[in-house]
């Protein structure tokens, strides 16, 4: 649960840097997916209500046939003299001194801010909602199919139980164990064959 606690944050309206895994350039259908994700998540530079700076990164990774999307905040911190001395870099300590009009060195790190989600490509078609299939995931099983199979297995159990009940009734009837049915014949019945054809 602690993994879901994202301490970072980014400003509203800021533009993300899109970072794609190198595997997106290996297959043609992955190139199509990469282009689609770029059109969805990238913000044009002069777009209305967008800020003129970048403060977060969106990472797209392909693993196990799924696309993992994670968002990170870009943290910039100035390198202090103590940090530079612990690293043993005297030049970094000199650079950390900010001369007049100059900029000091900064340490850049990434903090995950969420959301984190996974996409499973099922099918890629040539045109929107139709056309020839470019890619189809043969390993994908629909959750509806899983639920349907589960219902059929439960229905099969019910059918077996009901058939067993019917079979037991038939056996009891044949053996005459049920009252008023089977081989037992009431004595003195006027419509009995022995009485009618005697």
């Amino acid at each position: 649960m602690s993994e879901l606690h994202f301490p970072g944050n980014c400003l509203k309206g800021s533009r993300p840097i899109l970072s794609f895994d190198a595997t997106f350039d290996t297959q043609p259908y992955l190139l199509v997916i990469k282009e689609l994700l770029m059109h969805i998540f990238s913000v044009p530079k002069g777009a209305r209500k967008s800020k003129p700076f970048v403060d977060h990164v969106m990472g797209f990774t392909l693993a196990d046939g799924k696309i993992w999307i994670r968002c990170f905040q870009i943290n910039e911190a100035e390198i202090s003299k103590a940090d530079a001395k612990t690293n043993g870099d005297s030049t970094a300590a000199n650079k950390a001194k900010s001369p007049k009009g100059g900029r000091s060195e900064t340490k850049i790190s990434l903090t995950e801010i969420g959301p984190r989600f996974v996409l499973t490509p099922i099918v890629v078609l040539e045109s929107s909602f139709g056309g020839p299939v470019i890619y189809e995931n043969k390993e994908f099983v629909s959750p509806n199919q899983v639920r349907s199979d589960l219902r059929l297995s439960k229905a099969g159990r019910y059918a077996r139980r009901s058939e067993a009940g019917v079979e037991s009734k038939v056996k009891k009837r044949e053996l005459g164990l049920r009252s008023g049915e089977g081989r037992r014949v009431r004595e003195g019945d006027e419509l009995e064959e022995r009485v009618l054809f005697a």
Side-chain angles (χ1 to χ4, degrees):
M1 197 65 172
S2 63
E3 186 180 308
L4 298 177
H5 177 67
F6 301 125
N9 195 3
C10 66
L11 294 174
K12 182 179 178 183
S14 64
R15 295 179 295 134
I17 295 174
L18 302 181
S19 171
F20 287 92
D21 193 9
T23 55
F24 277 96
D25 297 328
T26 58
Q27 301 274 341
Y29 78 93
L30 290 174
L31 287 169
V32 171
I33 291 174
K34 178 181 176 180
E35 191 67 27
L36 179 74
L37 291 173
M38 283 175 58
H39 282 285
I40 291 171
F41 291 107
S42 65
V43 179
K45 191 167 186 177
R48 213 172 122 239
K49 294 187 179 179
S50 70
K51 304 290 186 273
F53 52 84
V54 174
D55 69 345
H56 65 287
V57 176
M58 292 187 75
F60 300 89
T61 309
L62 189 75
D64 300 330
K66 299 181 182 203
I67 301 168
W68 296 71
I69 301 174
R70 299 172 78 182
C71 297
F72 300 93
Q73 174 190 2
I74 301 171
N75 293 327
E76 293 184 27
E78 290 186 10
I79 299 175
S80 65
K81 292 179 186 178
D83 289 341
K85 286 180 183 177
T86 56
N87 293 339
D89 189 5
S90 60
T91 57
N94 292 336
K95 288 180 184 175
K97 296 175 187 172
S98 93
K100 290 182 180 177
R103 295 180 62 180
S104 61
E105 289 292 316
T106 58
K107 178 180 164 186
I108 297 176
S109 63
L110 297 176
T111 306
E112 188 167 2
I113 58 174
R116 175 195 302 178
F117 55 99
V118 181
L119 301 176
T120 305
I122 300 170
V123 85
V124 177
L125 303 173
E126 189 172 299
S127 62
S128 60
F129 304 108
V133 175
I134 296 173
Y135 167 76
E136 183 177 5
N137 189 352
K138 302 287 185 187
E139 297 173 358
F140 178 75
V141 179
S142 168
N144 292 336
Q145 185 65 39
V146 172
R147 284 192 293 271
S148 173
D149 293 344
L150 189 63
R151 275 195 216 111
L152 286 175
S153 68
K154 286 182 180 178
R157 277 191 288 179
Y158 173 75
R160 285 192 296 275
R161 274 189 269 146
S162 62
E163 285 176 11
V166 168
E167 287 175 5
S168 68
K169 283 182 182 178
V170 168
K171 282 183 184 177
K172 285 180 180 179
R173 190 176 300 138
E174 287 176 358
L175 295 174
L177 298 176
R178 293 177 62 101
S179 61
E181 297 179 5
R183 294 181 185 164
R184 282 193 216 158
V185 179
R186 292 183 192 160
E187 302 207 8
D189 191 5
E190 298 173 4
L191 298 176
E192 187 180 347
E193 288 181 353
R194 287 184 291 178
V195 175
L196 285 175
F197 298 109

